[in-house]
Amino acid sequence: MSGVMSEQRYGEFVLVRRHGDGGHVAELALDRPKAMNAVSTEMARSVGAACAALGADSGVRVVVLTSTHERAFCVGADLKERNSFSDADLVRQRPVARAAYTGVLELPVPTIAAVHGFALGGGFELALSCDLIVADRTAVVGLPEVSVGVIPGGGGTQLLPRRVGAARAAELIFTARRVEAAEARELGLVDQLVDAGHDRAEALALAGRIAGNSPVGLRAAKRALRLGFGMDLRAGLEVEDAAWRSVAFSGDRAEGVAAFNEKRKPEWPGE
């Protein structure tokens, strides 16, 4: 991939970089190094705002979620902030926190998390909200919420069993244990394991390969994958058919077929 095309900051703690020719790969970088990217109310608000902007940008084909901290992806909710909260404060914060996780989850394009160091609690839930997780050998993941008297609240109780099955998810959530990189790969908690320090580069390279494909096709394929999962086969095939019909008569489909026959790289119109 070619280098960074542009940078835009959302609040103090979130940075969005656009990469590659055309800026089709967007990197959403968690940038609160002094707190190992602990998700405060302000940071949650910024993640939600960045995701809303990226989701509305038709030029974005892939989003990569990264961390600027050397030793952590994200350690979860900001418990120091939480310690000062009244019950009313916690109630007020909840929609802001949820919007950050659902913002990542509902991005309409393929998303990849690049994980190193600690990805715990809400930090791991941000990664689970992505389609793919690339982790390096320093990664330590887990959902420790029951050890501090809460439960996963960023989608963990729903996303983890969809990844690894109900019994495995139950064991991990009930024990609150931390899982190191090799076991995380073996259990399917992460999808790709790379050498230490290479998670971001590998995730961006993967994103670059994905971004070479049809933007209309990518969005429709993600829609079919997400909506159809959990449905019975017949209903899922109807979801797929609707998604297929949404691309079958698109400019991208016409260009893709033409480029294939003319043995050239497609110039996707993105519509």
Side-chain angles (χ1 to χ4, degrees):
M1 284 197 71
S2 56
V4 177
M5 283 188 60
S6 67
E7 291 189 350
Q8 182 176 358
R9 189 164 282 282
Y10 289 82
E12 188 179 351
F13 303 131
V14 172
L15 181 64
V16 171
R17 302 183 180 110
R18 299 291 285 268
H19 294 266
D21 298 331
H24 297 310
V25 172
E27 177 186 2
L28 196 167
L30 306 175
D31 186 29
R32 196 187 177 203
K34 290 180 181 176
M36 298 179 86
N37 290 330
V39 182
S40 64
T41 306
E42 182 186 344
M43 185 171 171
R45 193 172 282 116
S46 296
V47 169
C51 288
L54 292 170
D57 187 336
S58 61
V60 173
R61 297 182 188 175
V62 189
V63 173
V64 181
L65 184 61
T66 68
S67 161
T68 63
H69 194 284
E70 289 183 0
R71 293 190 297 112
F73 174 72
C74 172
V75 294
D78 185 343
L79 295 184
K80 288 184 179 177
E81 180 188 58
R82 288 273 179 93
N83 197 42
S84 69
F85 277 6
S86 67
D87 289 353
D89 291 332
L90 193 58
V91 168
R92 275 193 296 273
Q93 192 218 28
R94 178 61 178 160
V96 178
R98 280 197 74 185
Y101 299 105
T102 56
V104 176
L105 186 65
E106 293 175 2
L107 281 165
V109 296
T111 55
I112 305 167
V115 173
H116 59 265
F118 297 115
L120 300 172
F124 189 37
E125 288 174 306
L126 285 171
L128 289 171
S129 297
C130 296
D131 298 301
L132 296 166
I133 302 175
V134 176
D136 83 357
R137 295 187 185 279
T138 69
V140 178
V141 305
L143 295 175
E145 284 85 350
V146 297
S147 70
V148 293
V150 290
I151 70 165
T157 65
Q158 305 305 304
L159 296 170
L160 192 58
R162 283 168 165 78
R163 231 180 200 279
V164 300
R168 179 73 69 195
E171 184 261 320
L172 292 165
I173 289 170
F174 295 161
T175 62
R177 70 184 178 95
R178 297 180 177 189
V179 182
E180 295 190 2
E183 186 188 2
R185 175 66 187 90
E186 189 181 311
L187 297 181
L189 299 173
V190 304
D191 303 300
Q192 193 175 332
L193 193 58
V194 300
D195 290 337
H198 289 262
D199 53 297
R200 177 175 176 268
E202 290 290 343
L204 287 170
L206 176 58
R209 293 195 293 275
I210 292 170
N213 295 314
S214 156
V216 170
L218 289 172
R219 287 173 180 249
K222 175 158 181 172
R223 198 161 62 244
L225 281 162
R226 284 286 178 91
L227 290 177
F229 191 89
M231 291 183 171
D232 67 68
L233 179 59
R234 185 171 294 180
L237 290 172
E238 291 303 320
V239 166
E240 182 184 80
D241 185 64
W244 180 87
R245 289 173 186 276
S246 74
V247 301
F249 310 104
S250 67
D252 273 15
R253 199 251 351 152
E255 169 60 11
V257 172
F260 177 83
N261 284 301
E262 294 164 19
K263 296 181 172 57
R264 60 175 175 82
K265 187 178 176 182
E267 295 290 336
W268 302 114
E271 56 188 26

